[in-house]
Amino acid sequence: MYLSIKETAEYLSLPEEYIETLIREKRIRVIHDGEQYLIYKEQFNTHLEQLEKYKKRMEEEMNEPLPEDPDVKDED
């Protein structure tokens, strides 16, 4: 499935200007049909999967309790 720049921006929750910048920098693969750029939606699946894994890992780390400091109970 192909998306326009506007649809891609909505799909990725990013501004259209940023998508255009990524196209100019050739960081997103596109097809130009003579009038507009068309972006293949499936190229973002790996990126979105990795983003979800990162969010989950960060959430787990934030919820992990801090270990007790061994020096706190040490009296000189």
Side-chain angles (χ1 to χ4, degrees):
M1 173 181 214
Y2 289 91
L3 304 171
S4 67
I5 291 175
K6 181 178 180 177
E7 292 168 335
T8 302
E10 291 172 3
Y11 177 64
L12 298 175
S13 301
L14 295 169
E16 289 181 46
E17 295 79 22
Y18 184 67
I19 301 298
E20 291 169 352
T21 300
L22 294 175
I23 292 170
R24 280 193 299 275
E25 293 174 354
K26 299 184 190 289
R27 296 178 65 197
I28 293 179
R29 289 175 280 161
V30 297
I31 296 173
H32 191 263
D33 70 355
E35 293 181 19
Q36 64 179 347
Y37 287 103
L38 298 174
I39 302 161
Y40 187 58
K41 181 179 177 180
E42 300 303 315
Q43 70 180 300
F44 302 110
N45 286 347
T46 303
H47 170 72
L48 295 174
E49 288 171 7
Q50 289 176 349
L51 189 59
E52 286 301 315
K53 286 179 184 177
Y54 175 76
K55 286 180 184 178
K56 184 177 179 181
R57 190 176 80 220
M58 291 304 296
E59 185 177 310
E60 289 172 355
E61 288 181 15
M62 295 299 288
N63 291 331
E64 187 175 309
L66 291 174
E68 192 173 318
D69 187 9
D71 293 335
V72 172
K73 295 179 181 176
D74 186 24
E75 294 183 29
D76 290 329

